[in-house]
Amino acid sequence: MHESEWLEVFMKNSGKKTAGALSIILLICMGIIIALFAATPFLAKYMFSLYVVQNLLFCYTAGALSLWFLYELRKLILSVRDGNPFVRRNVTSLKRLSLALALLMADFIFIFCFVPSISKLLCIALLLLGTLCARVLAFLIERAAEYREEIDLTV
């Protein structure tokens, strides 16, 4: 086996290991969010805010959107691990990711109206940036999937 062939095999195996580790990390994050869902009513009594209802609404909405985001991200990672990055379902997943980010941004705007802060503005800006990046990436993957389908049909 030549050195370049060995390097290629190593890179493929390390990519699969990395994707597997990322998938496990995402599952752990999803479990933590679900645990926080269950614990939030008990933690609400420790919130010393005038806007407890708004904060709870923000927390539950952000948690649900985060779960949805992590689920779609996990589907993307598993698809890439399997060697199918340029397929239509990844385009759909990326569009759903961008929608989840846009809704999360709206949730941050909602809570910003009650409790304004610079950190929330930064989160809103980053979520807007993430939404735009996911949309552009979805467009690029869609084009690549079209090219791949054309190539598959000609061969």
Side-chain angles (χ1 to χ4, degrees), residues 1-148:
M1 181 179 279
H2 290 90
E3 186 174 318
S4 61
E5 292 173 349
W6 178 82
L7 184 61
E8 185 176 327
V9 169
F10 175 75
M11 292 302 286
K12 283 184 181 179
N13 289 338
S14 68
K16 287 186 178 187
K17 288 178 184 175
T18 303
L22 284 175
S23 179
I24 291 170
I25 290 170
L26 289 177
L27 286 174
I28 291 169
C29 289
M30 292 169 86
I32 291 170
I33 291 171
I34 291 171
L36 287 174
F37 272 161
T40 299
F42 302 109
L43 298 174
K45 62 184 172 186
Y46 297 110
M47 289 183 187
F48 299 110
S49 174
L50 298 173
Y51 306 106
V52 173
V53 173
Q54 290 87 349
N55 281 328
L56 286 175
L57 183 62
F58 167 75
C59 289
Y60 277 116
T61 305
L65 290 170
S66 297
L67 275 176
W68 184 31
F69 177 85
L70 291 173
Y71 173 74
E72 292 296 334
L73 187 62
R74 186 171 184 273
K75 282 185 1 183
L76 275 172
I77 288 172
L78 292 176
S79 175
V80 170
R81 183 189 69 183
D82 294 339
N84 298 322
F86 304 116
V87 292
R88 298 275 180 195
R89 72 174 178 262
N90 285 352
V91 174
T92 305
S93 287
L94 280 166
K95 287 181 179 178
R96 288 179 184 161
L97 281 173
S98 69
L99 179 62
L101 289 172
L103 291 174
L104 193 56
M105 181 180 65
D107 195 31
F108 268 91
I109 291 170
F110 166 77
I111 199 65
F112 181 79
C113 292
F114 295 100
V115 187
S117 71
I118 298 293
S119 61
K120 287 185 185 81
L121 276 178
L122 180 63
C123 288
I124 291 168
L126 290 174
L127 287 168
L128 177 63
L129 181 65
T131 301
L132 295 174
C133 288
R135 279 290 169 169
V136 169
L137 192 57
F139 178 74
L140 291 172
I141 297 293
E142 186 174 31
R143 291 288 182 203
E146 288 173 5
Y147 293 145
R148 183 177 179 185

